[in-house]
């Protein structure tokens, strides 16, 4: 691609700037450190793999993305292909040339020298009054009136459909197409305008075939299938199809059987693709990367998130039992199987209330079992990260440790964030019975709906929880009369590898040792989980049969979630519950 350019060397970097941008900067060129000292540059995003700065000068405002090389794989990759900044710069020029809105590139730089660190920088012009689409959905949209929300959602679905159709007709395939890589600007009259960003993994060619378009829509639908309603997704697809020339035999009629078949196929392919992606990413918390790091010391090994305070991680690695002797630690549980305490420590630079659990070794054969299966603490760690990847609500795991002797795992330790303003289901029910009957009924129905929806989401993601009991589900206590989500926890994604927020802000799953990932969750497993939860309330007359049926109908989405009718489910859950209670009675175990 022929372009006017201005090349200059500055320190360890060699810069290529657009001529007009070089003229705006003046003879001193890019002076990032000086701008940081004077406050003209601020850090807007930071991670192990890149730092993003916003620079506001009198004559121009722009963003600087500093691509780092946090590991050897990234460093070697820079030796055999152009830098990230160079690729994204060229891609932005090409995207703009093909008529698609994007952030205009102003300059790029790369460290010179064969054995340099391979770092690179990209400068793009600021797009005023824009924000990532997913943050708009999480932050701005919920604060609008219901009527305005509906209007913006509908217009946004149609605008996105036309925008993606334009991409595909222009021969642009973005292999990481999701809401975080789309910037949104609301113009006068709430008219949405979209911009494509993060162009590091973009391919160009002829207009995409329908097979290529289908695969790219599956990638985009990964996020929207869990964050947008069925109506909005259908509105997007109809607009997309209307904006593109259809294959032979297809029409734009709403009830065209080929179009309806294609839409259903896209939804099915999205969930299949998501399941594969989630299972693949479940292993990321066990290796070193930008989000997690391995810990190792004599006789102790484990994993931690990268934003956990380094001093805290080092202290726990040196002595995993130290928190149990802290003067500020509050003991939450102390039994033969586990000990749980609560204390405060810095996480990501902020004092955070934490929960620390020790998994005891009850049998001499337990360490031997770690040779063939992951120990309980490690399973809880991996499933906790897997829940967050899937957008399911749970306490964020921060660290897991194991004492190791002769190659075997012994005591395990798990550190998680504390969930504030939350109660176990039994405690919630105890508080509800103290209220006047009309208030109690209204709030109980809201909480039943919340739990039913959370369990349905769990099973919809092909996960089972064999210990799904009342004490392993927390409900937020700040939910108000509706029993819905409170406002004390943000919907914005927490640090981690996923764009998915915790979709249920008022309910959380705990004690994930008994969680299993399935290729296809069977009806029997679903019934078993529901029966285990139902057995928790067998001595709670406050829950009527009508309340239990309301939970079941919510779980079944009033007939949309299962092919079997609710009566079939009701009988199966009742039979499994009776079997569970009888078994526990024979063994002399109390049902919690």
């Amino acid at each position: 691609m022929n372009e006017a350019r201005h090349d200059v060397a500055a320190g360890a970097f060699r810069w290529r700037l657009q001529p007009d941008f070089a003229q705006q900067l003046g003879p001193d060129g890019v002076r990032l450190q000086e701008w940081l000292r004077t406050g003209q540059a601020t850090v807007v995003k930071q991670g192990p793999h890149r730092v993003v700065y916003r620079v506001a000068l009198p004559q121009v405002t722009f963003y600087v993305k500093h691509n780092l090389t946090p590991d050897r794989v990234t460093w070697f990759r820079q030796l055999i292909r152009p830098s990230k900044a160079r690729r994204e710069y060229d891609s932005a020029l090409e995207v703009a040339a093909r008529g698609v809105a994007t952030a205009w590139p102003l300059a790029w730089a790369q460290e010179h020298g064969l054995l340099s660190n391979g770092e690179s920088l990209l400068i793009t012009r600021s797009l005023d009054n824009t924000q990532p689409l997913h943050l708009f959905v999480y932050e701005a949209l919920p604060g609008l009136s219901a009527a305005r929300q509906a209007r913006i959602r509908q217009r946004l679905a149609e605008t996105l459909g036309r925008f993606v159709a334009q991409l595909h007709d222009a021969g642009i395939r973005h292999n990481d197409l999701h809401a975080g890589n789309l910037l949104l600007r609301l113009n006068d009259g709430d008219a949405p305008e979209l911009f494509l960003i993060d162009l590091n993994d973009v391919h160009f060619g002829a207009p995409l075939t329908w097979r290529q378009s289908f695969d790219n829509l599956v990638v985009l639908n990964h996020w929207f299938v869990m964050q947008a309603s069925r109506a909005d997704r259908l509105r997007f697809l109809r607009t997309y199809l209307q904006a593109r020339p259809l294959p032979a035999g297809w029409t734009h009629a709403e009830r065209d059987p080929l179009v309806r078949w294609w839409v259903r196929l896209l939804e099915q392919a999205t969930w299949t693709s998501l399941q594969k992606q989630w299972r693949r990413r479940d292993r990321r918390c066990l290796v070193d990367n930008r989000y997690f790091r391995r810990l190792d010391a004599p006789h102790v090994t484990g994993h931690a998130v990268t934003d956990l305070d380094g001093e805290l991680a080092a202290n726990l690695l040196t002595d995993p039992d130290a928190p149990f002797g802290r003067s500020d630690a509050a003991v939450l549980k102390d039994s033969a199987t586990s000990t749980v305490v609560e204390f405060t420590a810095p996480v990501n630079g902020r004092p955070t209330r934490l929960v620390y659990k020790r998994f005891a070794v009850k049998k001499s054969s337990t360490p031997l079992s770690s040779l063939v299966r992951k120990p309980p603490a490690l399973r809880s760690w991996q499933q906790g990260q897997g829940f967050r990847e899937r957008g399911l609500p749970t306490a964020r795991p921060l660290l897991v440790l194991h004492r190791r002797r002769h190659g075997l795992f012994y005591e395990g330790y798990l550190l998680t964030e504390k969930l504030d303003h939350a109660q176990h289901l039994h405690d919630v029910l105890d508080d509800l019975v103290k209220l006047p009957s009309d208030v109690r009924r209204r709030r109980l129905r809201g909480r039943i709906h919340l739990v039913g929806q959370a369990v349905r989401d769990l099973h919809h993601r092909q996960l089972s929880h064999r210990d799904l009991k009342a004490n392993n589900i927390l409900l937020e206590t700040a939910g108000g009369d509706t029993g819905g989500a409170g406002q004390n926890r943000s919907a914005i994604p927490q640090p981690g590898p996923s764009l998915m927020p915790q979709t249920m802000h008022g309910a959380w799953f705990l004690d994930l040792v008994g969680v299993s990932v399935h290729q296809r969750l069977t009806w029997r497993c679903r019934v078993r989980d529901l029966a285990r939860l139902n057995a928790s309330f067998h001595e709670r007359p406050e829950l009527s049969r009508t309340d239990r049926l309301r939970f079941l109908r919510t779980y079944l989405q009033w007939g949309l979630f299962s092919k079997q009718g609710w009566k079939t489910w009701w009988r199966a859950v009742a039979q499994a519950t009776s079997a569970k209670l009888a078994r526990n009675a024979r063994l002399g175990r109390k049902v919690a």
Side-chain angles (χ1 to χ4, degrees), residues 304-372:
V305 296
T306 52
D307 59 319
L308 182 65
D309 181 72
E311 183 179 356
L312 174 62
N315 292 337
L316 292 176
L317 190 63
T318 302
D319 183 8
D321 290 306
F324 300 102
R326 291 177 55 147
S327 59
D328 63 336
V331 179
L332 304 180
K333 178 182 178 181
D334 190 4
S335 67
T337 58
S338 63
T339 305
V340 183
V341 296
E342 177 185 332
F343 63 96
T344 301
V347 176
N348 204 17
R350 300 189 308 269
T352 307
R353 202 67 181 161
L354 306 176
V355 174
Y356 191 58
K357 181 177 182 179
R358 176 173 59 203
F359 296 78
V361 177
K362 290 185 62 178
K363 301 178 181 178
S364 58
S365 60
T366 300
L368 291 174
S369 66
S370 66
L371 296 174
V372 295

Side-chain angles (χ1 to χ4, degrees), residues 24 119 121 128 160 180 231 257 277 296 319 328 356 388 420 483:
Q24 289 175 323
E119 297 180 0
L121 296 100
D128 296 331
L160 182 60
Q277 175 178 286
D296 201 15
D319 183 8
D328 63 336
Y356 191 58
R388 295 179 59 80
D420 296 321

Side-chain angles (χ1 to χ4, degrees), residues 150-168:
R151 182 172 65 251
I152 292 177
R153 282 192 300 99
Q154 294 169 8
R155 292 179 180 178
L156 187 55
E158 294 171 351
T159 300
L160 182 60
R162 289 189 290 269
F163 185 81
V164 177
Q166 181 187 6
L167 281 184
H168 292 172

Side-chain angles (χ1 to χ4, degrees), residues 429-447:
L429 198 55
D430 290 338
D431 287 346
L432 288 177
V433 298
K434 303 173 184 177
L435 301 175
S437 59
D438 57 334
V439 178
R440 178 177 68 247
R441 189 180 307 111
R442 183 170 62 249
R443 295 192 180 185
L444 178 60
R445 289 180 180 180
R447 282 154 173 75

Side-chain angles (χ1 to χ4, degrees), residues 219-435:
V219 174
L220 177 64
N221 206 28
H222 280 180
W223 187 86
F224 287 97
V225 77
M226 289 191 291
Q227 305 301 321
S229 68
R230 292 162 60 94
D232 286 335
R233 297 201 302 275
L234 181 59
R235 184 175 289 108
F236 158 80
L237 289 173
R238 285 176 176 171
T239 306
Y240 173 85
L241 292 173
Q242 290 171 357
R244 295 201 69 189
L246 296 180
W250 292 31
T251 69
H252 287 116
E254 290 187 4
R255 296 190 176 274
D256 186 316
L258 289 176
V259 172
R260 298 177 68 182
W261 164 80
W262 187 81
V263 170
R264 288 195 298 269
L265 188 64
L266 179 65
E267 291 283 292
Q268 295 170 2
T270 298
W271 279 108
T272 301
S273 176
L274 272 175
Q275 296 297 335
K276 293 180 180 179
Q277 175 178 286
W278 287 334
R279 287 195 295 270
R280 185 171 61 250
R281 290 187 175 185
D282 282 343
R283 298 187 291 269
R284 295 207 297 185
C285 64
L286 303 179
V287 296
D288 287 327
N289 51 57
R290 68 181 68 170
Y291 305 109
F292 307 101
R293 67 178 187 270
R294 298 178 64 179
L295 304 174
D296 201 15
H299 310 300
V300 180
T301 187
H303 308 270
V305 296
T306 52
D307 59 319
L308 182 65
D309 181 72
E311 183 179 356
L312 174 62
N315 292 337
L316 292 176
L317 190 63
T318 302
D319 183 8
D321 290 306
F324 300 102
R326 291 177 55 147
S327 59
D328 63 336
V331 179
L332 304 180
K333 178 182 178 181
D334 190 4
S335 67
T337 58
S338 63
T339 305
V340 183
V341 296
E342 177 185 332
F343 63 96
T344 301
V347 176
N348 204 17
R350 300 189 308 269
T352 307
R353 202 67 181 161
L354 306 176
V355 174
Y356 191 58
K357 181 177 182 179
R358 176 173 59 203
F359 296 78
V361 177
K362 290 185 62 178
K363 301 178 181 178
S364 58
S365 60
T366 300
L368 291 174
S369 66
S370 66
L371 296 174
V372 295
R373 65 177 302 190
K374 295 182 178 70
L378 191 58
R379 293 203 303 272
S380 294
W381 161 263
Q382 188 171 19
Q383 296 298 351
Q385 304 299 346
F387 265 50
R388 295 179 59 80
E389 178 66 37
R390 291 163 173 82
L392 288 170
T394 190
R396 184 188 178 208
L398 302 174
L399 172 142
V400 63
L401 296 173
H402 278 93
R403 291 194 181 274
R404 184 179 56 193
R405 294 190 290 273
H406 310 296
L408 303 177
F409 288 151
Y410 283 77
E411 294 85 359
Y413 305 83
L414 181 68
L415 182 69
T416 66
E417 289 184 349
K418 183 180 185 296
L419 296 172
D420 296 321
H421 310 294
Q423 291 179 313
H424 297 291
L425 294 188
H426 283 309
D427 295 333
V428 171
L429 198 55
D430 290 338
D431 287 346
L432 288 177
V433 298
K434 303 173 184 177
L435 301 175

